[in-house]
Each structure stands twice: as structure tokens, then as C-alpha cells.
Amino acid sequence: MKFLDEAKIYVRSGEGGSGAVSFRREKFIDMGGPDGGSGGRGGSIVVEAQNALNTLIDYRYQQHFKAKKGENGKGANRSGVGADDMVLKVPLGTEILAEDKETVIADMTEEGQRCILLNGGRGGMGNAHFKSSVNRAPKYAQPGEPAQEMWIWLRLKLFSDAGLLGIPNAGKSTFLARVSRAKPKIADYPFTTLTPQLGVVYIDDREFVLADIPGLIEGAHEGVGLGLKFLAHVERCGVLLHLIDGTQDDVVGAYKTIRKEISEYSEVLADKEELVALNKCDALTPDVIKKKCAALKRACKSKVYPISAAAGTGIEDLLRAMWKVIEEKREASETR
């Protein structure tokens, strides 16, 4: 199934049914009076979050969604049948934005959560409702309320406990494949990863979800490369793992490039706890590893983990450190 994390759609609720103008006419019953029934309510537009979905691909091929109109009222005091609501199912983590793409209408973060985007129009009252001591035979009824319509954006932000960051070709996909059963595409050229990849990581009988995000380059927060489109997917992560390619000359520059991009994109993202790992250490000498780790430590002001995703060295200590942060985040959220 193709991955799609953004879609623009048109939604329209149903009109209310019109009330009926009718009079009772039966043999031997004089002046039966008005008996027009009311119209039924139109269908509403409802969005529902479902954990079983993980893409918005269904909204690529259909962009217009219209609920049905309520049934008109009938004689003999028969009310029209209300129309069914139109339920749009979206993945957990979907944001619903107004047409300006900035105003957040709803954030679908819980399984089964529902949001009524547009209410269906109320049905109009039939002429029987307007009978009074002054007007015994009203010849008018209400029309149904008109439909409501709008354009909205659906934007998916994946849920994961941890997110992988780094410049292209830093070894993120190799790391994800090493620590989980995910099978991301791996090759020795930039932008191998074109869509976010999720993997379940197991360490010491515990598990957490790790997301591999396409590599970031300078200017990503302004839409350069693939970064801007996918930075949103790490906004919900509890901890960020920043992988640095140890084989490049300027490891500090690579670190600062990514930190600048995420700071420009979102203060919330920049404030998240971060672990830094120097990858591809199997291709470096111990002296070079020590030198580059020291330089990175001065830049990030925290411990740097020397690892090799390809060879599998240093992985367990890093995963345990990640789990410790994730566990603290989970406990903190449960106590709120």
C-alpha cells in the first residue's frame, strides 16, 4: 500500500428535508385539519480515527464527500427519514486543518475518536406544526436547513516512541533494519528513504516504536529536499536519535546542520530529548573514533554513543539509553 500523509478534500453535509403542506381528507370527517409532517435531518460529516489505518491513500482517488439530504415530510403526519451520517475514517494521528492549512480543527489522537465537521441541516416543520387558534388551516411549511460545505486538509503525523534524524546516507535505514524487523530500502546514495518507516524495537523484554525519517539537508525547514514534508512525523516522538555518519570529515557540521533545521521548523521538536550516536565506526580507527566523539560531545553537550549499524556494535547500550528516556516519558504522561 502506498504511503500518503497529506490530502485536501471537499466535504458537504446533507440538506434538511422540507416540511409538507397537507390536509386530512377522509370520508365522513369534516375539516380534518393540517397533517403535514416535518422533514428529516440531513446527514452530518463525521471523521473517525482508526488504529488499523496508516495512510491517507484513500483520499487521493476521491476528494469529494457529500452526505445525503433528509427525506421530505409527508401527509398523515408522517415525518421524513433522517439521512445517515457520512463517516470518514482516518489513521490515528491525523490532524484536520482548515483550507488555510494553518487552523487546526481537530487532532485525532485516540482510537475511535470522532469529530463532527459539519452538522446536517435540520428538517423543516410541516404545516401541522403551525396550526393555532388563530390559523386553523396553515398553508405553509418550513424548508429544510441548507447544507454546509468546506475544504479541509488531512495531515498525518505518525505515532512513534522514538525518531531517527540525520543527513542523507547517515545509516538510519540500516540502523532500523538492524534493531527491528522493518525492511526499509537500503543503498549507498542519498534519499534512499522516500517515506517514513516504522519498526518495533525489542530490548530486555521491552519494546518501543522507532520511526526512520528521510534524511534532512540544509534548508529543509523551508521545503528544500524531503525534510519539510516529513519533519511533522517526529513531532510526536518521545526521544530523538541523531545519527552522525562517522566517515565524513566534519561530523560537528553535520550535527549542527540538523539541529538548525529542526530548531527553525519547530521549538517543540527542538526541545525534545536527544541522543547522539556516531555511526559507521567499523570503518574508523579507535583514535579517530575517540577524536570525533570528543568533538561531538563538545557540540551537543551530552554523551555520544559510538556504534556501527552494519556490524551491530554498540547497539544494545544505545537502545537501553533510548528505552530509559521513553519509559520516563510514558510514566510522566500517565501521571497527568
Side-chain angles (χ1 to χ4, degrees):
M1 180 181 292
K2 291 184 179 181
F3 181 81
L4 184 69
D5 62 354
E6 193 172 83
K8 185 179 183 181
I9 62 173
Y10 169 84
V11 290
R12 185 177 189 272
S13 62
E15 302 172 16
S18 298
V21 176
S22 174
F23 295 90
R24 187 177 180 185
R25 291 290 181 265
E26 294 183 40
K27 194 175 182 180
F28 307 119
I29 298 179
D30 294 331
M31 304 181 67
D35 65 352
S38 299
R41 175 179 284 274
S44 298
I45 300 292
V46 180
V47 180
E48 180 181 308
Q50 291 201 341
N51 196 33
L53 301 175
N54 55 18
T55 176
L56 295 171
I57 192 66
D58 291 341
Y59 299 100
R60 168 173 286 179
Y61 305 107
Q62 182 181 356
Q63 286 92 31
H64 293 77
F65 298 88
K66 301 176 183 179
K68 293 183 178 180
K69 176 185 175 181
E71 190 178 39
N72 293 335
K74 301 180 179 65
N77 290 309
R78 291 175 295 173
S79 295
V81 177
D84 293 333
D85 294 337
M86 174 166 282
V87 180
L88 308 180
K89 297 179 181 179
V90 298
L92 214 59
T94 300
E95 276 187 343
I96 304 171
L97 308 174
E99 190 175 3
D100 61 11
K101 215 175 180 180
E102 294 181 0
T103 306
V104 179
I105 299 173
D107 194 1
M108 313 301 285
T109 59
E110 298 179 6
E111 170 69 16
Q113 179 182 345
R114 283 192 160 209
C115 170
I116 300 176
L117 285 181
L118 299 174
N119 285 303
R122 289 182 299 179
M125 295 178 181
N127 68 334
H129 178 81
F130 298 101
K131 177 182 176 181
S132 67
S133 59
V134 177
N135 187 356
R136 305 300 296 174
K139 296 180 180 179
Y140 57 86
Q142 282 183 331
E145 280 188 341
Q148 302 178 56
E149 59 184 2
M150 65 190 303
W151 282 92
I152 60 170
W153 284 92
L154 302 177
R155 178 186 293 163
L156 175 59
K157 294 183 179 180
L158 295 177
F159 276 101
S160 62
D161 295 302
L164 278 171
L165 289 177
I167 63 173
N169 213 29
K172 299 183 298 299
S173 296
T174 303
F175 183 86
L176 183 67
R178 166 67 64 176
V179 301
S180 73
R181 294 182 179 179
K183 302 297 181 185
K185 183 180 179 183
I186 300 171
D188 190 22
Y189 53 84
F191 300 122
T192 304
T193 302
L194 299 179
T195 61
Q197 303 281 340
L198 293 180
V200 179
V201 179
Y202 298 90
I203 182 70
D204 299 332
D205 296 325
R206 292 174 173 83
E207 63 180 47
F208 61 89
V209 178
L210 177 63
D212 171 25
I213 306 301
L216 304 180
I217 61 176
E218 189 170 357
H221 72 281
E222 296 176 341
V224 179
L226 301 174
L228 180 62
K229 185 175 180 181
F230 298 109
L231 272 171
H233 292 297
V234 292
E235 280 189 310
R236 301 188 194 272
C237 295
V239 60
L240 301 176
L241 174 58
H242 192 157
L243 283 188
I244 307 294
D245 181 358
T247 62
Q248 61 186 336
D249 295 331
D250 188 6
V251 293
V252 173
Y255 171 79
K256 289 182 176 179
T257 295
I258 302 303
R259 287 304 307 176
K260 178 184 177 183
E261 293 309 314
I262 63 176
S263 297
E264 294 284 350
Y265 176 77
S266 166
E267 290 184 7
V268 174
L269 193 56
D271 291 339
K272 287 187 179 293
E273 192 155 350
E274 176 190 61
L275 297 180
V276 180
L278 184 69
N279 194 20
K280 305 184 182 180
C281 287
D282 57 318
L284 306 176
T285 64
D287 288 342
V288 173
I289 294 172
K290 184 176 180 180
K291 181 180 178 181
K292 291 188 174 183
C293 282
L296 277 174
K297 185 176 181 179
R298 288 192 296 271
C300 67
K301 297 179 175 56
S302 64
K303 181 178 179 179
V304 177
Y305 296 83
I307 67 166
S308 170
T313 56
I315 299 293
E316 289 191 357
D317 288 343
L318 177 58
L319 293 182
R320 290 191 180 100
M322 291 174 66
W323 170 253
K324 183 178 179 181
V325 177
I326 292 167
E327 189 175 34
E328 291 173 355
K329 298 293 183 182
R330 289 181 180 179
E331 290 175 355
S333 63
E334 289 174 358
T335 56
R336 289 176 185 173

PDB file of all heavy atoms in Angstrom, residues 128-147:
ATOM      1  N   ALA A 128     -48.692  21.100   9.937  1.00  0.00           N
ATOM      2  CA  ALA A 128     -49.419  20.710  11.155  1.00  0.00           C
ATOM      3  C   ALA A 128     -48.846  21.411  12.380  1.00  0.00           C
ATOM      4  O   ALA A 128     -49.551  21.656  13.361  1.00  0.00           O
ATOM      5  CB  ALA A 128     -49.342  19.192  11.345  1.00  0.00           C
ATOM      6  N   HIS A 129     -47.556  21.750  12.329  1.00  0.00           N
ATOM      7  CA  HIS A 129     -46.891  22.384  13.471  1.00  0.00           C
ATOM      8  C   HIS A 129     -47.375  23.826  13.662  1.00  0.00           C
ATOM      9  O   HIS A 129     -47.307  24.371  14.769  1.00  0.00           O
ATOM     10  CB  HIS A 129     -45.366  22.370  13.247  1.00  0.00           C
ATOM     11  CG  HIS A 129     -44.593  23.030  14.343  1.00  0.00           C
ATOM     12  ND1 HIS A 129     -44.286  22.387  15.524  1.00  0.00           N
ATOM     13  CD2 HIS A 129     -44.068  24.298  14.448  1.00  0.00           C
ATOM     14  CE1 HIS A 129     -43.602  23.209  16.293  1.00  0.00           C
ATOM     15  NE2 HIS A 129     -43.458  24.378  15.669  1.00  0.00           N
ATOM     16  N   PHE A 130     -47.866  24.445  12.598  1.00  0.00           N
ATOM     17  CA  PHE A 130     -48.223  25.858  12.660  1.00  0.00           C
ATOM     18  C   PHE A 130     -49.711  26.081  12.914  1.00  0.00           C
ATOM     19  O   PHE A 130     -50.190  27.219  12.863  1.00  0.00           O
ATOM     20  CB  PHE A 130     -47.804  26.546  11.352  1.00  0.00           C
ATOM     21  CG  PHE A 130     -46.322  26.494  11.109  1.00  0.00           C
ATOM     22  CD1 PHE A 130     -45.784  25.574  10.218  1.00  0.00           C
ATOM     23  CD2 PHE A 130     -45.471  27.327  11.796  1.00  0.00           C
ATOM     24  CE1 PHE A 130     -44.425  25.520   9.996  1.00  0.00           C
ATOM     25  CE2 PHE A 130     -44.102  27.274  11.589  1.00  0.00           C
ATOM     26  CZ  PHE A 130     -43.568  26.362  10.698  1.00  0.00           C
ATOM     27  N   LYS A 131     -50.441  25.012  13.155  1.00  0.00           N
ATOM     28  CA  LYS A 131     -51.876  25.143  13.473  1.00  0.00           C
ATOM     29  C   LYS A 131     -52.035  25.864  14.810  1.00  0.00           C
ATOM     30  O   LYS A 131     -51.328  25.576  15.777  1.00  0.00           O
ATOM     31  CB  LYS A 131     -52.505  23.757  13.533  1.00  0.00           C
ATOM     32  CG  LYS A 131     -53.968  23.761  13.916  1.00  0.00           C
ATOM     33  CD  LYS A 131     -54.492  22.341  13.997  1.00  0.00           C
ATOM     34  CE  LYS A 131     -55.929  22.312  14.483  1.00  0.00           C
ATOM     35  NZ  LYS A 131     -56.446  20.926  14.593  1.00  0.00           N
ATOM     36  N   SER A 132     -52.939  26.820  14.855  1.00  0.00           N
ATOM     37  CA  SER A 132     -53.178  27.562  16.096  1.00  0.00           C
ATOM     38  C   SER A 132     -54.653  27.941  16.182  1.00  0.00           C
ATOM     39  O   SER A 132     -55.426  27.686  15.256  1.00  0.00           O
ATOM     40  CB  SER A 132     -52.309  28.828  16.133  1.00  0.00           C
ATOM     41  OG  SER A 132     -52.733  29.742  15.123  1.00  0.00           O
ATOM     42  N   SER A 133     -55.028  28.586  17.270  1.00  0.00           N
ATOM     43  CA  SER A 133     -56.421  29.010  17.433  1.00  0.00           C
ATOM     44  C   SER A 133     -56.785  30.117  16.454  1.00  0.00           C
ATOM     45  O   SER A 133     -57.945  30.322  16.133  1.00  0.00           O
ATOM     46  CB  SER A 133     -56.658  29.489  18.874  1.00  0.00           C
ATOM     47  OG  SER A 133     -55.787  30.572  19.171  1.00  0.00           O
ATOM     48  N   VAL A 134     -55.763  30.812  15.990  1.00  0.00           N
ATOM     49  CA  VAL A 134     -55.992  31.901  15.046  1.00  0.00           C
ATOM     50  C   VAL A 134     -55.995  31.389  13.614  1.00  0.00           C
ATOM     51  O   VAL A 134     -56.816  31.800  12.792  1.00  0.00           O
ATOM     52  CB  VAL A 134     -54.924  33.003  15.225  1.00  0.00           C
ATOM     53  CG1 VAL A 134     -55.124  34.114  14.195  1.00  0.00           C
ATOM     54  CG2 VAL A 134     -54.952  33.561  16.639  1.00  0.00           C
ATOM     55  N   ASN A 135     -55.052  30.480  13.313  1.00  0.00           N
ATOM     56  CA  ASN A 135     -54.926  29.941  11.956  1.00  0.00           C
ATOM     57  C   ASN A 135     -55.142  28.433  12.018  1.00  0.00           C
ATOM     58  O   ASN A 135     -54.251  27.662  12.377  1.00  0.00           O
ATOM     59  CB  ASN A 135     -53.541  30.274  11.395  1.00  0.00           C
ATOM     60  CG  ASN A 135     -53.416  29.899   9.926  1.00  0.00           C
ATOM     61  OD1 ASN A 135     -54.334  29.320   9.337  1.00  0.00           O
ATOM     62  ND2 ASN A 135     -52.273  30.237   9.338  1.00  0.00           N
ATOM     63  N   ARG A 136     -56.351  28.008  11.667  1.00  0.00           N
ATOM     64  CA  ARG A 136     -56.701  26.593  11.792  1.00  0.00           C
ATOM     65  C   ARG A 136     -56.258  25.784  10.581  1.00  0.00           C
ATOM     66  O   ARG A 136     -56.246  24.564  10.631  1.00  0.00           O
ATOM     67  CB  ARG A 136     -58.224  26.436  11.957  1.00  0.00           C
ATOM     68  CG  ARG A 136     -58.822  27.216  13.096  1.00  0.00           C
ATOM     69  CD  ARG A 136     -58.242  26.815  14.433  1.00  0.00           C
ATOM     70  NE  ARG A 136     -58.559  25.418  14.752  1.00  0.00           N
ATOM     71  CZ  ARG A 136     -58.071  24.768  15.819  1.00  0.00           C
ATOM     72  NH1 ARG A 136     -57.218  25.392  16.628  1.00  0.00           N
ATOM     73  NH2 ARG A 136     -58.425  23.518  16.053  1.00  0.00           N
ATOM     74  N   ALA A 137     -55.891  26.458   9.501  1.00  0.00           N
ATOM     75  CA  ALA A 137     -55.525  25.730   8.281  1.00  0.00           C
ATOM     76  C   ALA A 137     -54.323  26.389   7.606  1.00  0.00           C
ATOM     77  O   ALA A 137     -54.447  26.975   6.521  1.00  0.00           O
ATOM     78  CB  ALA A 137     -56.714  25.660   7.327  1.00  0.00           C
ATOM     79  N   PRO A 138     -53.184  26.363   8.273  1.00  0.00           N
ATOM     80  CA  PRO A 138     -51.985  26.988   7.667  1.00  0.00           C
ATOM     81  C   PRO A 138     -51.610  26.293   6.363  1.00  0.00           C
ATOM     82  O   PRO A 138     -51.636  25.073   6.260  1.00  0.00           O
ATOM     83  CB  PRO A 138     -50.901  26.787   8.739  1.00  0.00           C
ATOM     84  CG  PRO A 138     -51.364  25.629   9.552  1.00  0.00           C
ATOM     85  CD  PRO A 138     -52.870  25.693   9.554  1.00  0.00           C
ATOM     86  N   LYS A 139     -51.262  27.113   5.385  1.00  0.00           N
ATOM     87  CA  LYS A 139     -50.920  26.560   4.073  1.00  0.00           C
ATOM     88  C   LYS A 139     -49.432  26.728   3.747  1.00  0.00           C
ATOM     89  O   LYS A 139     -49.049  26.846   2.592  1.00  0.00           O
ATOM     90  CB  LYS A 139     -51.763  27.236   2.993  1.00  0.00           C
ATOM     91  CG  LYS A 139     -53.253  26.960   3.146  1.00  0.00           C
ATOM     92  CD  LYS A 139     -54.066  27.648   2.055  1.00  0.00           C
ATOM     93  CE  LYS A 139     -55.556  27.367   2.219  1.00  0.00           C
ATOM     94  NZ  LYS A 139     -56.372  28.040   1.174  1.00  0.00           N
ATOM     95  N   TYR A 140     -48.639  26.744   4.789  1.00  0.00           N
ATOM     96  CA  TYR A 140     -47.201  26.866   4.553  1.00  0.00           C
ATOM     97  C   TYR A 140     -46.446  25.907   5.478  1.00  0.00           C
ATOM     98  O   TYR A 140     -46.973  25.467   6.511  1.00  0.00           O
ATOM     99  CB  TYR A 140     -46.738  28.309   4.785  1.00  0.00           C
ATOM    100  CG  TYR A 140     -47.062  28.852   6.164  1.00  0.00           C
ATOM    101  CD1 TYR A 140     -46.200  28.633   7.244  1.00  0.00           C
ATOM    102  CD2 TYR A 140     -48.215  29.580   6.381  1.00  0.00           C
ATOM    103  CE1 TYR A 140     -46.511  29.115   8.503  1.00  0.00           C
ATOM    104  CE2 TYR A 140     -48.531  30.075   7.639  1.00  0.00           C
ATOM    105  CZ  TYR A 140     -47.670  29.846   8.697  1.00  0.00           C
ATOM    106  OH  TYR A 140     -47.984  30.325   9.934  1.00  0.00           O
ATOM    107  N   ALA A 141     -45.239  25.578   5.090  1.00  0.00           N
ATOM    108  CA  ALA A 141     -44.359  24.718   5.884  1.00  0.00           C
ATOM    109  C   ALA A 141     -42.931  25.233   5.716  1.00  0.00           C
ATOM    110  O   ALA A 141     -42.626  25.991   4.786  1.00  0.00           O
ATOM    111  CB  ALA A 141     -44.459  23.266   5.427  1.00  0.00           C
ATOM    112  N   GLN A 142     -42.070  24.818   6.617  1.00  0.00           N
ATOM    113  CA  GLN A 142     -40.674  25.262   6.554  1.00  0.00           C
ATOM    114  C   GLN A 142     -39.871  24.443   5.546  1.00  0.00           C
ATOM    115  O   GLN A 142     -40.038  23.226   5.464  1.00  0.00           O
ATOM    116  CB  GLN A 142     -40.012  25.118   7.923  1.00  0.00           C
ATOM    117  CG  GLN A 142     -40.345  26.194   8.930  1.00  0.00           C
ATOM    118  CD  GLN A 142     -39.570  25.966  10.214  1.00  0.00           C
ATOM    119  OE1 GLN A 142     -39.247  24.836  10.556  1.00  0.00           O
ATOM    120  NE2 GLN A 142     -39.284  27.040  10.928  1.00  0.00           N
ATOM    121  N   PRO A 143     -38.966  25.079   4.832  1.00  0.00           N
ATOM    122  CA  PRO A 143     -37.996  24.298   4.054  1.00  0.00           C
ATOM    123  C   PRO A 143     -36.927  23.759   4.996  1.00  0.00           C
ATOM    124  O   PRO A 143     -36.762  24.241   6.127  1.00  0.00           O
ATOM    125  CB  PRO A 143     -37.406  25.348   3.097  1.00  0.00           C
ATOM    126  CG  PRO A 143     -37.527  26.647   3.846  1.00  0.00           C
ATOM    127  CD  PRO A 143     -38.809  26.529   4.651  1.00  0.00           C
ATOM    128  N   GLY A 144     -36.214  22.780   4.557  1.00  0.00           N
ATOM    129  CA  GLY A 144     -35.129  22.249   5.376  1.00  0.00           C
ATOM    130  C   GLY A 144     -33.949  23.207   5.410  1.00  0.00           C
ATOM    131  O   GLY A 144     -33.783  24.055   4.521  1.00  0.00           O
ATOM    132  N   GLU A 145     -33.120  23.104   6.456  1.00  0.00           N
ATOM    133  CA  GLU A 145     -31.928  23.938   6.531  1.00  0.00           C
ATOM    134  C   GLU A 145     -30.967  23.578   5.399  1.00  0.00           C
ATOM    135  O   GLU A 145     -30.863  22.409   5.007  1.00  0.00           O
ATOM    136  CB  GLU A 145     -31.219  23.738   7.868  1.00  0.00           C
ATOM    137  CG  GLU A 145     -31.839  24.494   9.014  1.00  0.00           C
ATOM    138  CD  GLU A 145     -30.988  24.422  10.267  1.00  0.00           C
ATOM    139  OE1 GLU A 145     -30.138  23.529  10.364  1.00  0.00           O
ATOM    140  OE2 GLU A 145     -31.189  25.258  11.159  1.00  0.00           O
ATOM    141  N   PRO A 146     -30.266  24.569   4.879  1.00  0.00           N
ATOM    142  CA  PRO A 146     -29.324  24.271   3.781  1.00  0.00           C
ATOM    143  C   PRO A 146     -28.121  23.474   4.262  1.00  0.00           C
ATOM    144  O   PRO A 146     -27.828  23.411   5.458  1.00  0.00           O
ATOM    145  CB  PRO A 146     -28.907  25.664   3.300  1.00  0.00           C
ATOM    146  CG  PRO A 146     -29.108  26.551   4.491  1.00  0.00           C
ATOM    147  CD  PRO A 146     -30.300  25.996   5.213  1.00  0.00           C
ATOM    148  N   ALA A 147     -27.416  22.903   3.312  1.00  0.00           N
ATOM    149  CA  ALA A 147     -26.204  22.135   3.617  1.00  0.00           C
ATOM    150  C   ALA A 147     -25.059  23.084   3.953  1.00  0.00           C
ATOM    151  O   ALA A 147     -25.070  24.260   3.601  1.00  0.00           O
ATOM    152  CB  ALA A 147     -25.824  21.265   2.419  1.00  0.00           C
TER     153      ALA A 147
END
